[in-house]
């Protein structure tokens, strides 16, 4: 980064993952959803083959993650795919998804809790993965 131009630095900032981003594959196997953990955000820059969805509110993020991981959302995403050999989605397809909004957030509190549970599990998996990479087999060789 110390040798990058201002324009290059801005491009890297735009591609950098932020903790809490919901990431959706938009090319190839479209519609796969994951969550950007702290470790992922600290260490990686991703290409534009992933759509980033940023939701500041923790409850809304958990709800949206649960929705985007549902078969309903997957089917909606597949309605907008295009490409004859390799399937693609555009970010506008994701932004245009009709997300169900409940009459009362109390109605969907189990879904929000499940989304938060998924986020917590992904964070724990990410920590275990990092620990294994740092302290695992390769540490015996050094």
């Amino acid at each position: 980064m110390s040798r990058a131009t201002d324009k290059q630095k801005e491009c890297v900032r735009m591609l950098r993952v932020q903790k809490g981003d919901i990431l959706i594959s938009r090319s190839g196997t479209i519609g796969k959803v994951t969550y950007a953990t702290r470790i992922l955000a600290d260490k990686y820059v991703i290409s534009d083959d992933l759509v980033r969805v940023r939701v500041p509110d923790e409850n809304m993020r958990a709800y949206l993650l649960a929705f985007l991981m549902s078969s309903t959302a997957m089917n909606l995403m597949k309605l907008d795919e295009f490409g004859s050999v390799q399937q693609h989605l555009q970010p506008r397809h994701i932004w245009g998804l009709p997300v169900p909004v409940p009459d009362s957030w109390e109605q969907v509190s189990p879904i929000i809790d499940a989304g938060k549970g998924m986020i917590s599990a992904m964070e724990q998996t990410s920590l275990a993965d990092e620990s294994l990479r740092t302290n695992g087999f390769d540490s015996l060789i050094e």
Side-chain angles (χ1 to χ4, degrees):
M1 287 293 285
S2 63
R3 295 186 201 166
T5 66
D6 288 342
K7 185 175 181 178
Q8 291 168 327
K9 288 178 185 177
E10 180 59 28
C11 286
V12 169
R13 274 190 289 276
M14 288 173 50
L15 292 175
R16 191 169 300 277
V17 177
Q18 292 181 20
K19 180 185 183 300
D21 284 355
I22 298 172
L23 307 172
I24 305 166
S25 61
R26 65 179 210 96
S27 182
T29 307
I30 64 163
K32 290 292 190 182
V33 177
T34 193
Y35 176 83
T37 63
R38 181 190 54 78
I39 290 173
L40 181 72
D42 288 347
K43 296 192 174 214
Y44 299 98
V45 174
I46 61 172
S47 74
D48 68 344
D49 284 328
L50 292 172
V51 176
R52 296 158 189 80
V53 179
R54 292 194 175 128
V55 181
D57 183 85
E58 180 183 353
N59 288 336
M60 293 291 265
R61 184 181 321 124
Y63 177 77
L64 186 61
L65 179 66
F67 170 70
L68 290 171
M69 294 182 86
S70 73
S71 59
T72 300
M74 176 63 76
N75 290 333
L76 288 169
M77 285 185 250
K78 288 186 176 188
L79 286 174
D80 286 325
E81 70 184 2
F82 66 95
S84 59
V85 175
Q86 186 173 13
Q87 303 307 311
H88 293 277
L89 280 176
Q90 292 296 333
R92 64 184 162 84
H93 296 134
I94 303 301
W95 298 325
L97 282 177
V99 178
V101 178
D103 292 331
S104 163
W105 289 103
E106 292 280 322
Q107 292 175 308
V108 293
S109 63
I111 294 171
I112 292 170
D113 291 342
K116 286 180 178 179
M118 183 65 171
I119 289 168
S120 177
M122 290 175 138
E123 288 287 354
Q124 291 301 312
T125 300
S126 181
L127 288 170
D129 178 69
E130 180 69 10
S131 176
L132 183 59
R133 290 179 190 280
T134 305
N135 304 312
F137 187 82
D138 290 342
S139 68
L140 298 174
I141 298 171
E142 297 172 355

